[in-house]
Amino acid sequence: VQEITEQIEEQSGISVNIKNFHFKFPDKICLQKAQIKIPNYNQLLYAEELHLNFSFWNLLKKRIISDYLKINGLEFKVHILEDGTSNIDFLKNLQFSGNGLSKINIKTIDIEDCTIAFDNDQKSKKEHQLFDPNHFLIKHFNATILLNEYVKNKLNASIESLSFEEKSGLQLTGLSTKIDLSEQNLIIPNFKIELNNSKIETDTIKLSFEQISDIFKQQKNVLIQATLKPSNILPPDLKSLHPILANFKKTVYFEGNLGGTLDSISFNNLDFEYEQELHLKGNLQLTNLQKNLSDIYVSANIERLKFSVYGLQDIIASAQKKPLMLPDELYNLGTCLYTGNIQGHFRNL
């Protein structure tokens, strides 16, 4: 352990500190209060405890081959400055050689009560209490991950469970899925996510791209295909994405097929219901998904739209955040049916 930490410090200039190290022959290691500090930055990483089951004979060959890693109380903070430098730049030049490790292979990772923070000073912070992908703080992160295969440009893994809370109020109570990643495809055979009062489930999701970085930088070049199983969302669960969602108090039910790119998604055979107030069947396309919600463009071919006047009044009042009275003549219509097209931006459908 001392050889490895000294090599890291010599190559990178960072400070590695491990308060307690316990070894139980023949195959168990426990590190307590492990800390990594970067010069001119705050603490990068701190872990209360790390437990590792490993192959003793492989360790003698400078390899960590483990069937189980448990991490308690991890604190991981990434900070990008305005000039583009960050506290993880040292990883670019970090190489193990000589007496260092030649291979690390871990099958199961169990994470308990961890904190993950990310700040990018090149991006301004969002207003209000909204989730900001450039400035986020995740607490109470818990996960169990199985790594079946991971080599260069290839990953096969399962997330058995995952949950966390984010400072915006977003709470993920459960996530489980499988992942099969290659150079130009990401296949997720099944996916299930749960929020406080919401559940979304899909059959196989497939993403195709020229290079994996396109998922984050060139969304218009990433193709997506998926089938949405019957799912439900209570909009206030997602109010950290847009404040208007806090005003819709009833559950949304939906299912259908989706395809297109990450910047322009089409929903085919969509079945959408806002409890008893609105029921829609048809095809829907959303474009400009990288922009604000109000700037997303909607194009829909409605096979059947059913709503009550009172339900429409409630929906519009919720969207406008103020009471609404429709013309008296409309209240005599009762239940309405519509077939046709709808298009425009969310701010002006």
Side-chain angles (χ1 to χ4, degrees):
V1 174
Q2 184 177 355
E3 289 179 355
I4 296 171
T5 55
E6 287 178 351
Q7 187 177 18
I8 293 174
E9 290 180 340
E10 181 179 347
Q11 289 184 14
S12 62
I14 68 174
S15 172
V16 180
N17 193 333
I18 301 173
K19 186 173 183 180
N20 294 313
F21 172 80
H22 301 283
F23 170 59
K24 184 177 180 180
F25 187 81
D27 61 359
K28 289 181 174 60
I29 289 176
C30 176
L31 306 180
Q32 293 181 319
K33 301 187 185 302
Q35 183 182 62
I36 295 178
K37 286 187 175 182
I38 314 297
N40 303 320
Y41 289 91
N42 294 326
Q43 176 177 281
L44 169 66
L45 184 145
Y46 172 83
E48 189 68 24
E49 287 188 342
L50 289 90
H51 298 266
L52 180 71
N53 294 352
F54 64 97
S55 165
F56 178 77
W57 302 113
N58 276 293
L59 187 63
L60 296 178
K61 300 176 183 179
K62 309 299 183 183
R63 300 174 179 176
I64 292 181
I65 309 297
S66 170
D67 61 355
Y68 184 68
L69 169 65
K70 182 176 182 179
I71 305 172
N72 288 335
L74 176 72
E75 296 179 9
F76 181 59
K77 301 176 182 179
V78 176
H79 189 187
I80 301 176
L81 299 181
E82 290 184 357
D83 62 5
T85 60
S86 75
N87 60 341
I88 58 172
D89 285 345
F90 73 93
L91 294 173
K92 299 176 183 177
N93 300 319
L94 191 60
Q95 296 180 350
F96 291 112
S97 61
N99 293 325
L101 293 174
S102 61
K103 183 176 182 179
I104 299 177
N105 193 339
I106 300 172
K107 293 296 184 182
T108 301
I109 302 176
D110 200 0
I111 302 172
E112 292 186 359
D113 197 23
C114 295
T115 299
I116 303 172
F118 177 80
D119 278 296
N120 183 355
D121 292 346
Q122 294 179 318
K123 304 289 185 178
S124 59
K125 294 184 178 181
K126 288 188 176 181
E127 298 179 357
H128 310 295
Q129 190 70 7
L130 298 177
F131 174 73
D132 187 342
N134 293 298
H135 302 276
F136 63 78
L137 175 62
I138 292 174
K139 293 185 176 181
H140 308 302
F141 183 94
N142 297 278
T144 298
I145 302 170
L146 307 182
L147 300 174
N148 303 313
E149 180 185 10
Y150 54 105
V151 295
K152 184 178 181 181
N153 297 325
K154 187 172 180 61
L155 170 68
N156 183 279
S158 299
I159 300 177
E160 299 293 297
S161 64
L162 189 151
S163 62
F164 64 79
E165 298 177 11
E166 207 276 327
K167 66 178 181 180
S168 64
L170 180 65
Q171 293 187 16
L172 181 68
T173 58
L175 184 152
S176 60
T177 189
K178 295 181 179 180
I179 298 171
D180 190 356
L181 175 66
S182 59
E183 289 188 5
Q184 294 185 319
N185 291 290
L186 171 61
I187 298 175
I188 303 174
N190 55 69
F191 178 83
K192 182 168 69 175
I193 184 171
E194 296 180 358
L195 307 176
N196 286 339
N197 304 284
S198 306
K199 179 181 177 181
I200 303 171
E201 192 170 0
T202 75
D203 276 336
T204 300
I205 301 173
K206 181 178 179 180
L207 300 180
S208 301
F209 38 78
E210 292 185 4
Q211 51 190 6
I212 192 170
S213 61
D214 288 347
I215 295 176
F216 308 100
K217 298 180 180 180
Q218 298 290 334
Q219 287 86 358
K220 64 181 180 181
N221 295 333
V222 180
L223 300 176
I224 181 171
Q225 290 179 322
T227 298
L228 292 168
K229 293 182 177 180
S231 303
N232 60 275
I233 292 177
L234 187 67
D237 283 352
L238 300 175
K239 63 183 179 181
S240 59
L241 303 182
H242 198 286
I244 196 174
L245 296 174
N247 303 322
F248 295 90
K249 306 298 184 181
K250 299 181 180 180
T251 301
V252 174
Y253 302 91
F254 59 93
E255 60 180 300
N257 302 311
L258 65 87
T261 70
L262 293 185
D263 187 56
S264 178
I265 293 180
S266 296
F267 294 86
N268 298 314
N269 302 316
L270 177 66
D271 192 334
F272 177 96
E273 184 176 1
Y274 185 59
E275 287 205 357
Q276 303 296 320
E277 299 185 351
L278 183 147
H279 189 191
L280 180 151
K281 287 188 175 182
N283 302 308
L284 173 71
Q285 183 170 11
L286 303 177
T287 56
N288 299 331
L289 292 176
Q290 305 308 310
K291 297 185 178 181
N292 295 326
L293 181 62
S294 60
D295 293 324
I296 293 176
Y297 190 82
V298 182
S299 178
N301 174 249
I302 308 300
E303 296 177 6
R304 186 172 186 269
L305 174 61
K306 178 182 178 181
F307 60 92
S308 69
V309 174
Y310 288 99
L312 180 64
Q313 173 184 279
D314 180 55
I315 292 171
I316 296 175
S318 296
Q320 294 182 345
K321 302 182 185 179
K322 61 182 180 180
L324 173 74
M325 290 298 296
L326 296 172
D328 292 339
E329 293 79 7
L330 290 180
Y331 292 100
N332 297 323
L333 296 178
T335 299
C336 302
L337 297 175
Y338 172 78
T339 300
N341 299 312
I342 297 176
Q343 61 183 15
H345 295 90
F346 267 122
R347 65 175 180 271
N348 186 26
L349 280 176

